């Protein structure tokens, strides 16, 4: 392990920020926003690298195997917590193979339907879905995607089994919803807010977070409409390989916190209808606690649904 004396010189070369998904996607956008102010704080470039594949599990495996020196860092969303239940042979353990830098941001989700769907209110939606569940389809962005997890929680909470339709990404799923090919979709605000605001291509039935969104103040939450405790948001965290010295983690955490109060970052994240975490959540301890709770929570939901990525 690197000694504190060596850590004192950290960083003396660029840092790689590994993203498990394609360039241009929500996680990549966040990574590139954070990279600039983090680099300024650290005095070295932070270079974003997309390591894509296997449902977002290749990138964490790569970082877990990397030298524990702080020069290879992972940013990942809640897929970090769901992978243990989805994959029987996961090549890393999210709770044992990493050091934790801090939580980053939360992206809320919304429940939408195609424009011509028979229901117009959430009570009407519940009534229709319960009576016609064998005829109702629900799209998602692929096995392990947060849109699939939201769908599972929705079906689990209202006690129905709908026909789920997997897509290769949220974009194609949204296109087919707007085209009328599928009935329902739960997706991130980064994609749904423009569709909701124009009001012409889909219907919205609720927000998946406990509080209403400032960008959609008139859209009630699913919780306030009767689905008590319904809470799905795409939370993100930042990680390094197990054994990275505390001095280095502290420097990375300080840089993350500097990025979270950067004016450009705050402006752009607000435009994406997302929420940067408060300083008390942007800590190694908070991320570790949150990850533990989420692994347990989603493990129950995924096992109950009998879903596997393999």
């Amino acid at each position: 392990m690197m000694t504190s004396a060596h850590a004192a010189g950290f960083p003396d070369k660029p840092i790689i920020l590994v993203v498990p998904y394609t360039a241009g996607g929500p996680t990549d956008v966040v990574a590139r926003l954070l990279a600039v102010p983090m680099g300024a704080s650290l005095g070295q470039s932070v270079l974003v690298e997309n390591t894509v594949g296997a449902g977002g599990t290749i990138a964490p495996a790569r970082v877990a195997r990397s030298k524990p020196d702080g020069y290879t860092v992972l940013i990942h969303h809640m897929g970090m917590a769901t992978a243990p239940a989805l994959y029987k042979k996961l090549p890393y353990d999210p709770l044992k193979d990493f050091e934790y830098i801090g939580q980053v941001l939360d992206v809320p989700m919304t429940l939408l339907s195609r424009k011509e769907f028979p229901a117009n209110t959430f009570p009407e939606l519940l009534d229709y879905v319960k009576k016609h569940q064998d005829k109702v389809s629900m799209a998602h962005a692929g096995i392990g995607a947060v849109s699939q997890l939201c769908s599972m929680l929705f079906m689990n909470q209202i006690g129905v089994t709908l026909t789920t339709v997997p897509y290769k990404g949220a974009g194609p799923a949204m296109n087919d919803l707007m085209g009328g090919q599928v009935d329902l979709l739960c997706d991130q605000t980064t994609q749904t807010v423009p569709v909701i605001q124009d009001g012409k291509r889909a219907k919205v039935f609720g927000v998946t977070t406990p509080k209403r969104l400032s960008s959609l103040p008139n859209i009630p939450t699913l919780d306030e409409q009767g689905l008590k405790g319904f809470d799905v948001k795409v939370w993100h965290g930042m990680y390094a390989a197990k054994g990275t010295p505390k001095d280095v983690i502290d420097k990375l955490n300080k840089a993350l916190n500097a990025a979270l109060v950067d004016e450009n970052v705050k402006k752009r994240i607000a435009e994406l209808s997302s929420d940067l975490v408060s300083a008390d959540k942007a800590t190694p301890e908070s991320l570790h606690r949150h990850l533990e709770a989420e692994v347990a929570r989603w493990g129950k939901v995924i096992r109950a649904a009998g879903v596997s990525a393999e």
Side-chain angles (χ1 to χ4, degrees), residues 3 86 121 132 137 148 183 238:
T3 66
L86 286 169
T121 65
H132 305 280
S137 59
Q148 185 199 26
D183 294 317
M238 202 170 280

Side-chain angles (χ1 to χ4, degrees), residues 169-188:
M174 176 63 82
N175 287 338
D176 271 11
L177 182 86
M178 293 188 297
Q181 281 80 44
V182 288
D183 294 317
L184 302 173
L185 173 66
C186 185
D187 197 17
Q188 299 179 49

Side-chain angles (χ1 to χ4, degrees), residues 33 189-191 193-194 197 214-215 263-275:
L33 271 177
T189 52
T190 46
Q191 177 161 265
V193 167
Q197 288 175 338
S214 57
S215 57
E263 289 303 323
N264 180 58
V265 171
K266 291 196 292 186
K267 177 175 178 290
R268 289 286 292 116
I269 292 299
E271 289 170 356
L272 294 171
S273 300
S274 303
D275 300 305

